[in-house]
Amino acid sequence: MKLAHIADLHIGKKLNDFSLIDNQCDVLRQIVDWVNRLNLDGIMIAGDVYDTTFPTIEAVELLDEFLTELSELKVHIFIIGGNHDSQQRLSFGARILEKSAIHISSVFNGNVDKVVLSDEYGDLNFYLLPYIRPIHVRKAYEDFKGEGFTEAIRYVLNKINPDISKRNILICHQFVTGAATSESEEIYVGGSENVDFTLFDKFDYVALGHLHKPQFVGRETVRYAGTPLKYSFSEAGHTKTMTVVDIREKGSIHIEEMPLEAKQDLLELKGSFTQLTSPEFRETVDRNAFIRVTLTDETIISNGISELRKYYPYILSLGYDNSMTRHDSKVKAANISESLNPLKMVEDLFRGQNNREMNEAERKIVTELVDRVWRHEYEAD
């Protein structure tokens, strides 16, 4: 049986104020094309289907379109809820959708949904475990008193107790110890959310969601599919893929990764304002990309992000790397007295913070502001 494994769609996500819905629509169509082209039997979606528990109408419509196109290919679709999803909303209509081979995990009540499919090698058991915290397990089982994630997941998996003579697949959304993280993930402070990969020893393949980099943990068959798109600049160097799992007889699993191309990539640019806005440099940059800029100018560029957006319309952020930002100085409190010159105070503060003297333009601005404040005109504007 050949299956696709994807996760962390985060449908409806924005980068700053830029909607990604068109980008997500494009990449989901690529996934449908791969499923069709490879003649797959099913697809596993391992949580964080939506970016928020209250998805927008356009996000819901996009998921509906995606599932409809997959369903028309007559494949089995397995969906679990992630920490970003509302399991109640995600599982609405699940019993009706089951008739169309769309299997959605239930709200966790102690029971883990199981779907059994068959092929020439026998039965294949799918277990759908949505994202759970220890509190969910304590509510479901009176005899469970544990506090940690590992204890909770171990307890639930022991309740499943799969028949190891059969082929067993677990679809879940958790943070497995040792996996590489990205900036765009929502991770518990201090690693308390971590679970050990050895908890999954009884499962032939574990389709993981939650972390955004495609990777395996501990063994090749405990895998994160990663996000289909890049959702932070820490993922700029990632290659986004759709994982394909070919499960044959017990103990025989072949894994491939199919590339997914982003409609808009993430780029980081660094240099002076003059360099980055020169025609020669701009010719080398995809102006359709989402961009983070680091300027090396020693002085702050007035309305810098607005000026740069004339050349790079999808600029997301602007920072500086210069002697001011690199200097690690502590500003000492001045002895303030009524006779101390206000301009001198600001100059001393500026020098301590930025490791240089004000230039003439900066001193002129400060002089005007001090004069206005001194004349009580600041609030009048």
Side-chain angles (χ1 to χ4, degrees), residues 15 18 20 23 230 233 236 262-269 282 284-293 308-309 311-317:
L15 283 179
F18 293 104
L20 295 178
N23 295 265
K230 300 173 184 179
F233 283 96
K263 190 175 182 180
Q264 290 177 278
D265 203 358
L266 294 184
L267 296 178
E268 296 186 88
L269 304 181
R282 288 189 282 115
T284 68
V285 179
D286 176 11
R287 71 187 307 271
N288 190 50
F290 292 111
I291 292 174
R292 178 166 70 182
V293 172
L308 286 167
R309 195 161 278 152
Y311 309 101
Y312 307 111
Y314 297 100
I315 183 172
L316 299 180
S317 65

Side-chain angles (χ1 to χ4, degrees), residues 167 204 248-253:
R167 295 167 300 159
D204 297 86
R248 301 168 188 174
E249 68 272 15
K250 179 77 175 180
S252 177
I253 297 179

Side-chain angles (χ1 to χ4, degrees), residues 155-166:
Y155 189 94
V156 172
L157 297 184
N158 285 340
K159 289 287 184 181
I160 293 176
N161 192 27
D163 181 353
I164 60 174
S165 69
K166 302 289 182 71

Side-chain angles (χ1 to χ4, degrees), residues 53-310:
T53 55
F54 295 95
T56 62
I57 292 175
E58 61 180 0
V60 174
E61 289 176 342
L62 179 53
L63 179 62
D64 178 71
E65 180 182 343
F66 178 53
L67 296 181
T68 299
E69 292 179 1
L70 287 172
S71 182
E72 289 172 352
L73 298 177
K74 306 299 180 184
V75 299
H76 285 271
I77 304 167
F78 303 90
I79 304 173
I80 66 167
N83 56 302
H84 280 250
D85 297 310
S86 164
Q87 188 62 53
Q88 290 86 350
R89 292 182 179 84
L90 190 63
S91 60
F92 176 79
R95 285 179 292 178
I96 296 173
L97 293 172
E98 189 77 26
K99 298 175 182 178
S100 299
I102 301 176
H103 317 282
I104 305 176
S105 61
S106 306
V107 175
F108 183 75
N109 62 1
N111 297 316
V112 177
D113 296 318
K114 177 183 177 181
V115 179
V116 181
L117 301 182
S118 298
D119 61 12
E120 64 267 35
Y121 302 107
D123 289 345
L124 188 55
N125 301 320
F126 293 83
Y127 295 91
L128 281 62
L129 178 61
Y131 179 79
I132 56 173
R133 297 181 173 92
I135 190 173
H136 299 135
V137 183
R138 289 196 295 271
K139 286 181 178 180
Y141 300 104
E142 292 183 358
D143 60 335
F144 178 72
K145 306 301 181 184
E147 297 290 334
F149 276 77
T150 292
E151 294 174 89
I153 300 300
R154 179 184 290 115
Y155 189 94
V156 172
L157 297 184
N158 285 340
K159 289 287 184 181
I160 293 176
N161 192 27
D163 181 353
I164 60 174
S165 69
K166 302 289 182 71
R167 295 167 300 159
N168 301 294
I169 292 181
L170 177 67
I171 308 172
C172 71
H173 192 92
Q174 300 292 159
F175 181 14
V176 180
T177 304
T181 61
S182 304
E183 292 175 356
S184 56
E185 298 149 359
E186 187 177 286
I187 302 297
Y188 270 47
V189 176
S192 62
E193 189 185 15
N194 296 17
V195 301
D196 195 273
F197 79 92
T198 58
L199 296 181
F200 308 123
D201 285 348
K202 292 184 178 180
F203 296 91
D204 297 86
Y205 185 83
V206 182
L208 290 167
H210 195 30
L211 302 187
H212 292 181
K213 180 180 180 180
Q215 60 190 295
F216 69 87
V217 191
R219 57 183 167 95
E220 288 194 6
T221 51
V222 178
R223 299 187 75 89
Y224 285 100
T227 55
L229 292 173
K230 300 173 184 179
Y231 290 141
S232 71
F233 283 96
S234 65
E235 301 168 54
H238 292 186
T239 299
K240 297 302 183 178
T241 60
M242 181 190 81
T243 304
V244 176
V245 189
D246 186 1
I247 303 174
R248 301 168 188 174
E249 68 272 15
K250 179 77 175 180
S252 177
I253 297 179
H254 181 67
I255 297 169
E256 292 184 87
E257 292 182 324
M258 303 300 151
L260 298 173
E261 299 295 331
K263 190 175 182 180
Q264 290 177 278
D265 203 358
L266 294 184
L267 296 178
E268 296 186 88
L269 304 181
K270 184 175 182 179
S272 70
F273 183 85
T274 301
Q275 290 172 328
L276 299 189
T277 56
S278 68
E280 296 79 14
F281 183 84
R282 288 189 282 115
E283 286 180 1
T284 68
V285 179
D286 176 11
R287 71 187 307 271
N288 190 50
F290 292 111
I291 292 174
R292 178 166 70 182
V293 172
T294 301
L295 289 179
T296 56
D297 299 86
E298 287 297 325
T299 57
I300 304 299
I301 304 299
S302 179
N303 299 318
I305 200 163
S306 298
E307 291 299 315
L308 286 167
R309 195 161 278 152
K310 295 176 182 177

